[in-house]
């Protein structure tokens, strides 16, 4: 064994059993100012050129090997420390759970959206989504809502910039434009989502709520198709053949427009406080797509017709579960939520 080989052998043996502090000592013992290997390198000038080359090469190689061995040991020590720490801190979770396990559940609004989507899927609709931050074009202009319309007032809409271009969508109807922009007819989609209105909250209003939008565009879509699909939806969603009526109404983006009332679920149409003795409850807005809306996405309104509808999820959930205050949905009171 050459001199340098012996030095390396000894050093390796020391490294094997060292802790962090000892490793530091070994480093200075070998590579420090007066370290063993440093000294050899310093003394090279005493040797012949031939020996100088060989000893220099071997010493530098020894240096690299020892450095990497020290590093390896250091990493190994660190790992051991972490494992020891984890073992010390190991949690015994067996006593946290008890039987029967407490079950979480979906929020009633999420449940209603899921039920609605399932019902619409069974009627052949696909599901699309749109952004909650919209531009004036998608939320108003493309939907034929004129510049001076009251809905565009700062009192009703949350604008995000002083130019009144970016805003929080006030309804899911911009979803119609986004879908039509991306694809050609035939289209049959629903767009669920959260919407925002700049208004103070009370038992039946909230500045944040949910809607689900429906859209069908194809050749020869008629108002009758709309009546059939919405009646089927209502019967299927409420699992009961409630009476349904279409009442003429007005929306900028549909012509003709209608509002749909359903037989009051509270009194089954006999008349009560909830339906203000009319026997009917207003449920959604709908109509045939206005030619200007089709035009805004460059659809030929001579060739295609379509219907759209939009309904408030909170309102329908309140009807279904007989809830009388919309604010209950947002308070996260477990006594309320656990009933669903
Ligand atoms: N966007 C309307 C609203 O927020 C609801 C609505 C009415 C949507 C008629 C429609 C529709 O698609 O055809 O009050």
């Amino acid at each position: 064994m050459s001199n340098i080989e012996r030095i390396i052998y000894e050093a390796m043996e020391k490294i094997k059993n060292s802790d962090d502090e000892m490793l530091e000592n070994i480093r200075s013992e070998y590579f420090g100012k007066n370290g063993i290997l440093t000294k050899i390198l310093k003394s090279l000038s005493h040797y012949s050129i031939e020996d100088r080359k060989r000893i220099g090469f071997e010493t530098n190689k020894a240096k690299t090997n020892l450095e990497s061995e020290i590093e390896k040991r250091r990493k190994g020590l660190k790992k051991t420390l972490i494992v020891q720490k984890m073992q010390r801190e190991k949690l015994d979770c067996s006593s946290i759970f008890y039987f029967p396990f407490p079950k979480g559940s979906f929020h009633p609004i999420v449940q209603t959206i899921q039920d609605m989507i399932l019902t619409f899927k069974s009627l052949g609709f696909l599901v699309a989504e749109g952004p909650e931050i919209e531009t004036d074009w998608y939320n108003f202009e493309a939907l034929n809502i004129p510049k001076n319309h009251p809905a565009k007032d700062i009192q009703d809409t949350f604008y995000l910039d002083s130019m009144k271009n970016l805003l929080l969508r006030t309804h899911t109807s911009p979803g119609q434009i986004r879908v039509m922009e991306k694809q050609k007819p035939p289209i049959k989609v629903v767009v669920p989502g959260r919407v925002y209105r700049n208004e103070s909250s009370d038992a039946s209003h909230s500045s944040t709520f949910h809607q689900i939008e429906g859209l069908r565009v194809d050749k020869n879509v008629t108002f009758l198709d709309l009546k059939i699909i919405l009646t089927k939806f209502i019967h299927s969603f409420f699992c009961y053949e409630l009476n349904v009526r279409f009442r003429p109404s007005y929306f900028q983006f549909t012509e003709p427009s209608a509002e749909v009332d359903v037989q009051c679920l509270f009194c089954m149409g006999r008349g009560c406080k909830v339906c203000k003795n009319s026997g009917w409850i207003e449920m959604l807005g709908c109509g045939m797509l206005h030619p200007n809306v089709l035009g805004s996405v460059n659809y030929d309104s001579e060739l295609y017709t379509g219907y759209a509808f939009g309904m408030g999820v909170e309102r329908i959930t309140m009807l279904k579960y007989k809830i009388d205050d919309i604010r209950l949905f947002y308070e996260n009171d477990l006594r309320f939520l656990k009933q669903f």
Side-chain angles (χ1 to χ4, degrees):
M1 202 187 265
S2 76
N3 211 10
I4 292 180
E5 277 171 341
R6 192 172 38 77
I7 292 171
I8 294 179
Y9 178 77
E10 280 173 10
M12 293 283 193
E13 284 302 300
K14 280 188 211 163
I15 291 170
K16 262 190 215 161
N17 303 310
S18 294
D19 60 18
D20 266 329
E21 201 184 329
M22 287 152 90
L23 286 176
E24 218 25 69
N25 291 339
I26 293 174
R27 194 189 285 281
S28 60
E29 188 184 341
Y30 287 86
F31 316 130
K33 231 177 176 180
N34 292 314
I36 298 172
L37 295 176
T38 319
K39 270 189 190 157
I40 296 179
L41 287 172
K42 273 185 187 164
S43 66
L44 282 181
S45 54
H46 303 305
Y47 296 96
S48 67
I49 293 185
E50 197 100 312
D51 284 348
R52 224 184 275 174
K53 261 194 198 161
R54 184 180 48 79
I55 299 172
F57 175 77
E58 277 180 26
T59 315
N60 278 326
K61 201 168 110 193
K63 213 173 153 183
T64 321
N65 286 345
L66 286 186
E67 287 272 20
S68 86
E69 205 59 29
I70 289 175
E71 212 32 55
K72 233 195 263 167
R73 172 74 185 158
R74 213 187 275 290
K75 278 189 188 151
L77 283 171
K78 217 177 192 175
K79 212 163 155 188
T80 319
L81 271 180
I82 293 173
V83 172
Q84 282 170 351
K85 189 165 174 242
M86 276 162 63
Q87 272 166 349
R88 265 200 316 274
E89 291 176 355
K90 204 161 66 178
L91 275 182
D92 176 11
C93 299
S94 55
S95 58
I96 294 178
F97 299 109
Y98 59 89
F99 190 80
F101 300 130
K103 260 203 269 170
S105 62
F106 286 113
H107 190 279
I109 294 299
V110 176
Q111 278 184 46
T112 306
I113 293 177
Q114 285 173 347
D115 285 353
M116 285 176 159
I117 286 178
L118 223 64
T119 312
F120 278 120
K121 276 188 171 170
S122 74
L123 295 170
F125 286 80
L126 297 176
V127 183
E129 268 182 87
E132 287 176 25
I133 294 177
E134 268 300 6
T135 62
D136 178 64
W137 165 257
Y138 287 102
N139 198 79
F140 295 123
E141 291 287 315
L143 288 161
N144 197 38
I145 301 177
K147 284 222 157 25
N148 54 358
H149 192 271
K152 295 186 74 169
D153 200 280
I154 206 129
Q155 309 286 339
D156 297 287
T157 302
F158 287 114
Y159 287 97
L160 300 175
D161 64 347
S162 53
M163 301 297 291
K164 288 172 100 182
N165 184 37
L166 276 186
L167 47 88
L168 294 177
R169 66 177 172 197
T170 59
H171 49 176
T172 42
S173 303
Q176 296 178 23
I177 306 295
R178 291 201 172 261
V179 170
M180 288 192 283
E181 228 178 26
K182 268 196 227 114
Q183 61 196 81
K184 295 244 157 310
I187 287 174
K188 202 174 175 188
V189 292
V190 285
V191 187
R194 192 180 290 145
V195 300
Y196 303 84
R197 301 262 171 100
N198 192 0
E199 57 187 17
S200 41
S201 56
D202 57 30
S204 49
H205 295 88
S206 160
S207 55
T208 308
F209 57 103
H210 299 76
Q211 287 187 334
I212 190 159
E213 191 80 14
L215 172 72
R216 175 158 182 228
V217 192
D218 205 345
K219 287 174 187 155
N220 306 319
V221 177
T222 66
F223 200 89
L224 180 61
D225 294 318
L226 172 64
K227 285 184 87 168
I228 292 173
I229 211 80
L230 286 177
T231 308
K232 276 189 181 168
F233 167 75
I234 291 165
H235 289 170
S236 170
F237 180 76
F238 289 104
C239 303
Y240 191 82
E241 298 212 345
L242 294 167
N243 290 331
V244 178
R245 76 173 181 195
F246 286 70
R247 202 165 24 83
S249 184
Y250 177 76
F251 298 103
Q252 294 80 11
F253 28 94
T254 43
E255 183 56 40
S257 304
E259 268 171 286
V260 178
D261 298 334
V262 292
Q263 182 184 354
C264 177
L265 283 143
F266 292 80
C267 60
M268 293 319 276
R270 265 175 255 117
C272 67
K273 216 171 71 189
V274 180
C275 61
K276 298 193 185 94
N277 275 323
S278 69
W280 294 99
I281 288 189
E282 194 184 304
M283 201 176 131
L284 60 96
C286 64
M288 300 305 290
L289 288 187
H290 195 289
N292 288 354
V293 175
L294 292 166
S296 68
V297 287
N298 297 321
Y299 279 10
D300 182 353
S301 58
E302 295 288 315
L303 188 60
Y304 295 114
T305 51
Y307 61 66
F309 53 84
M311 55 189 103
V313 177
E314 275 77 354
R315 195 180 155 69
I316 291 173
T317 314
M318 288 166 82
L319 281 181
K320 192 168 176 178
Y321 298 110
K322 304 195 166 75
I323 296 164
D324 61 4
D325 194 324
I326 196 170
R327 289 168 293 199
L328 286 165
F329 292 126
Y330 315 112
E331 284 165 359
N332 277 335
D333 185 334
L334 283 179
R335 287 168 304 179
F336 170 71
L337 295 176
K338 272 186 173 167
Q339 299 173 68
F340 299 94

